[in-house]
């Protein structure tokens, strides 16, 4: 059991693990919190090039109650394994996505140490067609959350035991929580605050065309 850990200790252990070193070790390719390398390049146990692995912790945000660490997609599973095995984060809380428009889809997972009482959010950003290795081999509780994130954000979790529909009806092909998803209700109801005073009343008599992707017979009720 690790007990209580400081934010610097958490990010330091993540850097060491992604560079191929064990907990608390300082080896070739490990990065300090200032981003400076401390050794020669090579290949770590994670399969990442040590130069890339040492810089795999792309960003760390520290708040009084939370440490949020961004890692590249290829380090996702290794970071989760480090959280469970080295940081004692034995409680998996949630996993979800965030549509960051042109940057891609971010996937975030929140884990917690029952012994040390420290929180950690791991984050990665997926450009293009979002795909990520499943976390179910590290945290079995991620299965339900990955199914939901697959449905709502279109992220494919490679190796997942079954990305079956969870919330949406069979045959539904869109991803409702992506920002390019058309809200059909906007055809029938004005968006609050979208019009100047008096403009809304004058526009009621005009027939508005349906948004892209919404057929003309979509009911008003």
């Amino acid at each position: 059991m690790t007990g209580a850990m400081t934010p610097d200790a958490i990010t330091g252990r993540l850097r060491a693990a992604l560079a191929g070193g064990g907990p608390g070790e300082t080896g070739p390719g490990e990065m300090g919190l200032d981003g400076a390398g401390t050794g020669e390049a090579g290949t770590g146990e994670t399969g990442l090039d040590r130069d890339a692995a040492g810089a795999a912790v792309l960003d760390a945000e520290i708040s009084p109650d939370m440490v949020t660490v961004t890692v590249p997609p290829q380090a996702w599973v290794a970071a989760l394994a480090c959280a469970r095995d080295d940081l004692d984060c034995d409680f998996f809380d949630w996993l979800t996505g965030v549509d960051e428009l042109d940057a891609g889809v971010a996937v975030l997972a929140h884990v917690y140490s029952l012994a040390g009482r420290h929180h950690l959010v791991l984050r990665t950003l997926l450009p293009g067609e979002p795909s990520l290795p499943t976390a179910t081999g590290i945290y079995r509780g991620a299965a339900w959350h990955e199914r939901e994130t697959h449905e709502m954000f279109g992220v494919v979790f490679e190796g997942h035991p079954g990305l079956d529909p969870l919330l949406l009806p069979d045959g539904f092909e869109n991803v409702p929580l992506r920002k390019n998803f058309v809200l059909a209700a906007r055809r029938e109801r004005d968006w609050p605050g979208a019009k100047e005073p008096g403009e809304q009343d004058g526009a009621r008599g005009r027939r508005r065309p349906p948004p892209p992707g919404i057929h003309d017979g979509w009911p008003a009720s």
Side-chain angles (χ1 to χ4, degrees):
M1 307 294 283
T2 62
M5 297 185 67
T6 65
D8 283 354
I10 291 172
T11 54
R13 288 204 182 191
L14 275 169
R15 292 184 193 278
L18 297 183
E25 295 180 5
T26 301
E30 181 177 340
M31 302 285 288
L33 289 174
D34 59 357
T38 59
E40 299 178 356
T43 302
E45 296 175 2
T46 62
L48 299 172
D49 177 86
R50 280 194 186 273
D51 283 339
V57 177
L58 301 178
D59 182 54
E61 298 180 10
I62 299 173
S63 66
D65 300 319
M66 187 78 67
V67 178
T68 301
V69 177
T70 299
V71 300
Q74 63 268 28
W76 179 246
V77 172
L80 288 167
C82 174
R84 183 193 64 182
D85 300 334
D86 298 343
L87 304 178
D88 200 28
C89 293
D90 47 356
F91 179 76
F92 178 88
D93 190 12
W94 51 258
L95 179 148
T96 191
V98 177
D99 186 353
E100 300 194 359
L101 298 177
D102 293 341
V105 176
V107 173
L108 302 93
H110 173 240
V111 293
Y112 177 70
S113 171
L114 296 173
R117 302 182 68 180
H118 47 264
H119 297 262
L120 172 65
V121 171
L122 290 172
R123 174 186 176 274
T124 193
L125 186 62
L126 308 173
E129 293 297 323
S131 177
L132 194 65
T134 181
T136 54
I138 308 298
Y139 293 104
R140 288 190 298 174
W144 185 93
H145 301 262
E146 289 184 348
R147 286 172 62 190
E148 182 184 40
T149 304
H150 172 66
E151 277 192 302
M152 296 297 168
F153 293 93
V155 179
V156 176
F157 292 94
E158 299 172 355
H160 190 283
L163 291 173
D164 301 320
L166 182 67
L167 302 174
L168 300 175
D170 292 339
F172 194 92
E173 298 180 354
N174 292 314
V175 279
L177 293 187
R178 294 287 288 271
K179 292 179 180 177
N180 60 357
F181 180 75
V182 178
L183 296 176
R186 290 195 182 184
R187 181 187 174 190
E188 301 300 330
R189 296 182 180 179
D190 295 309
W191 193 249
K195 297 181 179 297
E196 295 295 329
E199 184 180 355
Q200 180 172 341
D201 294 336
R204 288 188 186 276
R206 292 197 294 269
R207 183 176 183 274
R208 288 174 289 178
I214 301 301
H215 62 79
D216 193 57
W218 190 80
S221 59

